[in-house]
Amino acid sequence: MDEQLKQIGERLRGLRDVLDIPVSEMAETIGIDSEKYEKIEKGELDITISNLMKIAHKYGVSTEELIFAEAPHMKSYYVTRKGQGMSIERTKAYKYQSLVGGFVNHHADVFIVTVEPKPGARTIYKNTHPGQEFNMVLEGKMELFIGGKTIILEEGDSIYFDSLKPHGMLAVGDKPVKFLAFTVE
């Protein structure tokens, strides 16, 4: 994961350099101070998917380009075969597999997210990002926190919500939860 963080940081620094954007503006885009943002660019601090989405949207690049260094190429359709989507392990607990990464100018981000259980964990990191989000549990069970509410979702359950509300999740039990996450602005 450390190498992935460094590579994402390098791409963010490259985007900033090419567009001649000050560190302070990039930091403001995701709501952190400049010092923390510089640590992200150096690969010393992780950045959430939601913050990568904010940067991608504001500066006209795809989230996949920032994460995977691969620009989409397909314009008519894009097929992702089972287990073949571009994937990245964002933290030890979260793995994202992009299902639309090869389609040019896609209007939604679609991922299969796998969350590993954290026995005894009660602290949830909450994200916010513009738009709306749809989650459907494919395997396992998760506890989803949205704007002060706790909702348990089991295999086959789904939820659609305003993603500007702080939200985060935990895998329930001793098995990972795998869910489809669809975000759109």
Side-chain angles (χ1 to χ4, degrees), residues 3 17 20 31-32 35 53 55 64 69 110-111 117 122 124 146 154 160 164 170 172 177-178:
E3 187 58 33
D17 288 345
D20 198 26
I32 63 173
E35 187 176 307
M53 289 168 61
I55 290 169
E64 289 78 12
V110 184
F111 297 97
R122 296 307 319 150
I124 305 298
I146 301 175
E154 299 186 32
Y160 191 82
L164 281 174
L170 283 174
V172 174
V177 63
K178 186 181 283 191

Side-chain angles (χ1 to χ4, degrees), residues 8 14 50 86 122 128 163:
I8 290 170
S50 62
M86 295 182 281
R122 296 307 319 150
T128 62
S163 51

Side-chain angles (χ1 to χ4, degrees), residues 92-93 113-120 137-143 153-155 169-179:
K92 292 204 183 294
V113 182
T114 304
V115 180
E116 296 294 330
K118 295 182 193 175
V137 178
L138 303 172
E139 298 173 8
K141 184 176 179 179
M142 78 171 160
E143 196 170 11
L153 296 173
E154 299 186 32
E155 190 172 315
M169 75 285 303
L170 283 174
V172 174
D174 59 355
K175 294 181 181 173
V177 63
K178 186 181 283 191
F179 63 97

Side-chain angles (χ1 to χ4, degrees), residues 60-97:
V61 298
S62 75
T63 306
E64 289 78 12
E65 286 177 88
L66 295 175
I67 297 172
F68 305 111
E70 197 168 307
H73 302 288
M74 303 307 292
K75 295 180 181 176
S76 297
Y77 64 90
Y78 180 72
V79 175
T80 302
R81 301 289 180 200
K82 183 177 181 178
Q84 298 300 308
M86 295 182 281
S87 71
I88 186 168
E89 188 176 306
R90 296 296 302 131
T91 67
K92 292 204 183 294
Y94 288 79
K95 179 182 177 189
Y96 290 84
Q97 178 184 5

Side-chain angles (χ1 to χ4, degrees), residues 12-13 15-16 21-41 45 47 50-52 54-55 58-59:
L12 289 169
R13 186 172 45 256
L15 173 68
R16 188 172 58 76
I21 302 165
V23 168
S24 59
E25 183 179 325
M26 293 292 276
E28 186 179 312
T29 297
I30 59 174
I32 63 173
D33 64 48
S34 295
E35 187 176 307
K36 280 186 181 178
Y37 186 81
E38 286 176 327
K39 286 184 178 185
I40 290 170
E41 283 191 353
L45 190 64
I47 183 169
S50 62
N51 281 337
L52 285 169
K54 289 175 190 175
I55 290 169
K58 182 167 183 174
Y59 299 108

Side-chain angles (χ1 to χ4, degrees), residues 93-135:
Y94 288 79
K95 179 182 177 189
Y96 290 84
Q97 178 184 5
S98 175
L99 301 180
V100 297
F103 194 86
V104 175
N105 297 324
H106 54 272
H107 298 285
D109 285 306
V110 184
F111 297 97
I112 292 179
V113 182
T114 304
V115 180
E116 296 294 330
K118 295 182 193 175
R122 296 307 319 150
T123 302
I124 305 298
Y125 178 77
K126 295 180 181 86
N127 289 309
T128 62
H129 50 88
Q132 299 170 340
E133 185 167 333
F134 172 81
N135 294 165

